[in-house]
Each structure stands twice: as structure tokens, then as C-alpha cells.
Amino acid sequence: MSNSADLSALLDARRPWHSLPQPFYNDPAVYQADLDLIWSRGWIFVASSAELPKPETLLTVQIGAASVLLARAKDGKVRAFHNSCRHRGSRLCASHKASAPKIVCPYHQWTYDLDGKLLWAREMGEDFSAQDHGLRPVHCCEIQGMIYVCLAETAADMAPLEAQAARYLAPHDPANLKVAFQSRIVEKANWKLVLENNRECYHCSGNHPALCVTFPDDPNLVGADDSSSSNMGLAHVSRCEDAGLPSKYVISPDERWRFVRIPFIGKGVSYTLDGKAASAKRLGSVPFDDAGSCLFFHYPNSWNHYLSDQVLNFRVLPIGPEETEVQTTWLVRKDAVEGVDYDLKRLTEVWIATNDEDRQIVEENQQGINSPGYVPGPYSQIQEGGVNQFIDWYCRTLRENLPAPARLAAE
């Protein structure tokens, strides 16, 4: 693929309700287009707020070529900057996480406040203006315990998401959660295959024995449509709504994000092998233990589960055309004591196993797609509506962000 016109032609070649042509999953040029037209344009989930629990904490995240530095300053606000010194461009922070009252460049010790202001630069002459050399900011917002950044010059309005997140997630009291455990795995597959796998449970019964103890694989509950199309889902949503817990399916007009609350199987209340709560401390104002899971996705890189006893944030970041990092963060109440209120193994074992099973699935998927025998196949309209919805969003977003001449040529 040599230019955006070629990319437009590839988009035209995609058949409705079918997987994508092979280059979308392994071509370096398409991967670069993904970075340029999707990952560098929209809001990206980068961290749970609890990863920066107090002022003077720093965290770095890599989005394509962009290294982003997050800092929680003394005023409690999280800000994001390009992780590049304004002197000669050295990376400021090499570690994933750090604690520091100032940001000091390791090369020549230029020193910045956590709000990005340049505080000190040695022997730069009388004409040098420190106020002109602060860190380059990155759009950043913190919504109900989740931190997002946007690398674009102009960022989309997050107010609609913020309003819905306040309804669906605030009952879980995200401000009073702590990180109980965090895992990072690298899946040798294109990032879209990781998202596709998440967006269906067609594969669950054959691959996820621990997850399926409590998580229902009914496509009417976990697909692209309102969970009330399932009798069990309708009853659960009605019960939660009557108790003041927002649960009805809602999706943004551009289908970038969605909320819906679904029940667990039988008497299950959490992701555990016995179905019982993993933590004895119920979250926030959630009215009952069996409130199920509020499923929240935000494209292109996160899905999240909000339960009565825990929260799971999943973050996906592309590393290469066939390599993706998946980070999972388990959150419990701040006052929950490990070994007393929760056992770490019980809390994490279901999703540690599920993540590894998913890694194997998508890696085999990638290998099969790389074969010269691969041709795009049809999605199940019963089971894979969520996959089709994601791919439709991806293709539509990619096309909308193509340079204007390519869009006109495609039309």
C-alpha cells in the first residue's frame, strides 16, 4: 500500500459483515495509517486514576512513536505532556512509574514543575525565556477514575461521555478505589484482532472455562444490541434501574463508547470460581451484591467491567503491526485489606487465565490471517454483531480521517 488512495481502495474492498482484507491485519503501511488516523486523532484511555494516587506521582505511556508523561501535581490535577525535553529532546522519564516533586531531564538537568513550567535551565544566556520552553502539553482528562489523552491538536468534546460515565460509573465510587493488582501481557497479533476477540463471546464456551462459571455467553447480553433483548437481561436491567442504578444500554452517536449492565449466571456475583464475591467490601452506592457487571467500552483501546466488589480496567496499546500490549488493572475499595477483605488469587485468577487464553486465541488468529490461504470470512449475525459494530466503526473512522482528496476520489 503506497498512499491514502490505496487505503481507500482497501476500505472499499471490505464486504459488509465480513472480516477485513489481509493488509489491515499485517501490513506496516496500514498499521502506520492506524497510528496516524486513529490513535493520534482520538481520545485514548491510558491509566486508571488510582495508578496516580497522590500528588507528585508520574507515569509514562507509549502510543506509537509518542511517549506521553502523566503527572499529578500538588493541586491534585493530572496533566499530560510529551515526554521530551524542550532543550534537545531527550526523554525525560524512562521508567513506567515514578515519584518526584519536579521533572528533571537526565541529560542536562533542565527542571520542570509538574504543571509543565520550566523552572531552571543552566547557562542559557540573558535572551533565553524560560516561559517559552515549558513542556509541550497533551490533551488530558480524568473521567470517573479513568485518565484519557488525545495527541491531536484539537480534541473532541468529552462532555457526553463524562455525563454518561457519571450516571453509570459513579455508583461504584471510582475516587475511592485502589489498585489491587496489575498485569501486562504482549499478544503477538494486530491490535484490531485483540479488540475483535473482546467484542464477541462466540468463542467463550470453547475457550474460557473459568470465565464461563459466572459470565453469560448469551449474544443477546454481550453483543452489539440492548441486553433487554434477553429476558434475563431485561429483568436484571429493570431491577437495577428500579433501585436507582443506571443499567440500560446507551451508545454514543458515533458508536465509540457504550454502557450496559448485565447479570451474572445463577447466583454468581463476581468473576470467581465459586461465583461468590472476591472482596467483602461492596463498592460505593451499588445497592446489592448481585448487580452484575456494567460493561463499558471506549474505542480504540479499552473495555471495562464495573462490579459490586471490584472494577477491571483493560487497556490495549499497539506495539507493531503484529504486536499488542494488554494491561489489566484490578481495583477494589481503598479500605479493603488484602488477606482480610480479599484474597489476591481469588480476585485475579479468572481474568489472568482468561487473558492468557485470549492471547493464545488471537495469536493463532494472526498466524492464520498471515497465510496466503486467508480470505475474509462472514461474521455470525447472531453471535458477532459486536465485532461487526467495531469493524464498521474502525472503517468509518479511518475513512473520515483520510486526507480530503482521497475521500473525494473514493466517493
Side-chain angles (χ1 to χ4, degrees):
M1 193 193 73
S2 60
N3 54 44
S4 57
D6 293 337
L7 181 56
S8 185
L10 267 181
L11 288 167
D12 290 342
R14 190 243 167 169
R15 296 173 61 189
W17 282 89
H18 279 70
S19 60
L20 293 168
Q22 186 185 61
F24 283 105
Y25 298 114
N26 59 14
D27 188 294
V30 175
Y31 172 73
Q32 188 60 49
D34 284 354
L35 294 179
D36 294 341
L37 302 178
I38 291 183
W39 292 86
S40 296
R41 298 286 187 93
W43 288 97
I44 306 297
F45 168 62
V46 289
S48 303
S49 297
E51 294 179 65
L52 294 164
K54 58 185 180 180
E56 301 185 353
T57 51
L58 308 173
L59 189 146
T60 61
V61 62
Q62 192 76 27
I63 306 172
S67 179
V68 178
L69 177 60
L70 304 175
R72 192 180 293 280
K74 291 180 181 179
D75 62 5
K77 183 177 179 180
V78 175
R79 295 173 177 85
F81 308 97
H82 287 281
N83 189 15
S84 177
C85 184
R86 291 297 309 281
H87 177 210
R88 285 167 55 189
S90 175
R91 188 167 61 167
L92 294 162
C93 184
S95 61
H96 170 65
K97 192 172 182 180
S99 297
K102 302 287 188 292
I103 300 167
V104 181
C105 179
Y107 200 175
H108 300 97
Q109 290 73 56
W110 280 32
T111 302
Y112 303 87
D113 201 348
L114 298 185
D115 63 5
K117 293 186 181 73
L118 178 62
L119 299 175
W120 184 80
R122 181 167 51 92
E123 298 177 3
M124 292 304 296
E126 293 182 359
D127 294 336
F128 177 76
S129 172
Q131 67 182 11
D132 294 334
H133 292 84
L135 295 179
R136 289 189 60 204
V138 173
H139 296 288
C140 181
C141 67
E142 195 170 3
I143 296 175
Q144 294 299 322
M146 302 182 73
I147 302 170
Y148 298 84
V149 301
C150 179
L151 295 166
E153 184 176 340
T154 302
D157 183 12
M158 288 289 267
L161 173 60
E162 191 167 13
Q164 292 298 341
R167 297 182 61 242
Y168 285 82
L169 306 185
H172 299 264
D173 196 13
N176 286 302
L177 300 179
K178 68 176 181 179
V179 176
F181 190 72
Q182 193 169 67
S183 75
R184 289 187 191 87
I185 62 173
V186 173
E187 304 188 4
K188 296 186 183 301
N190 185 269
W191 69 273
K192 293 185 290 294
L193 293 179
V194 177
L195 266 291
E196 287 180 32
N197 179 67
N198 168 259
R199 294 297 290 115
E200 49 93 352
C201 220
Y202 197 14
H203 70 281
C204 289
S205 61
N207 294 277
H208 297 321
L211 180 66
C212 286
V213 169
T214 59
F215 189 77
D217 64 356
D218 181 351
N220 292 313
L221 287 174
V222 297
D225 300 321
D226 191 336
S227 65
S228 63
S229 58
S230 154
N231 289 334
M232 182 170 72
L234 177 61
H236 183 74
V237 166
S238 297
R239 176 172 176 253
C240 291
E241 290 275 349
D242 288 346
L245 188 64
S247 301
K248 292 179 180 177
Y249 176 95
V250 61
I251 193 165
S252 64
D254 64 357
E255 300 192 347
R256 181 181 290 269
W257 50 260
R258 176 219 63 190
F259 296 93
V260 67
R261 199 175 300 274
I262 69 167
F264 285 119
I265 294 172
K267 296 182 179 180
V269 301
S270 192
Y271 295 119
T272 52
L273 294 179
D274 61 8
K276 297 178 181 178
S279 174
K281 298 281 190 178
R282 189 190 298 169
L283 304 186
S285 60
V286 178
F288 26 75
D289 290 340
D290 59 341
S293 179
C294 181
L295 306 182
F296 163 45
F297 70 65
H298 185 279
Y299 295 153
N301 81 315
S302 76
W303 62 87
N304 310 276
H305 298 234
Y306 284 72
L307 284 65
S308 61
D309 67 332
Q310 62 178 293
V311 168
L312 292 105
N313 292 152
F314 297 84
R315 186 194 74 182
V316 172
L317 291 175
I319 300 174
E322 298 178 34
E323 199 170 20
T324 305
E325 180 193 85
V326 179
Q327 176 179 284
T328 307
T329 304
W330 285 260
L331 302 151
V332 297
R333 256 174 51 175
K334 278 183 181 178
D335 60 352
V337 178
E338 183 181 346
V340 177
D341 298 306
Y342 67 95
D343 175 81
L344 196 58
K345 183 175 184 293
R346 287 190 71 249
L347 180 75
T348 61
E349 61 187 341
V350 168
W351 271 103
I352 285 178
T354 301
N355 284 342
D356 190 57
E357 291 154 0
D358 280 332
R359 177 191 59 78
Q360 296 176 58
I361 289 167
V362 300
E363 289 182 351
E364 290 298 325
N365 197 179
Q366 182 71 62
Q367 289 302 307
I369 285 173
N370 288 346
S371 165
Y374 168 75
V375 293
Y379 295 140
S380 165
Q381 296 200 21
I382 296 173
Q383 291 277 355
E384 294 173 301
V387 183
N388 187 68
Q389 184 267 338
F390 164 65
I391 292 300
D392 280 350
W393 172 86
Y394 165 77
C395 292
R396 184 171 62 251
T397 304
L398 203 60
R399 190 184 293 281
E400 288 172 354
N401 289 338
L402 283 172
R407 287 205 308 270
L408 292 173
E411 292 166 0

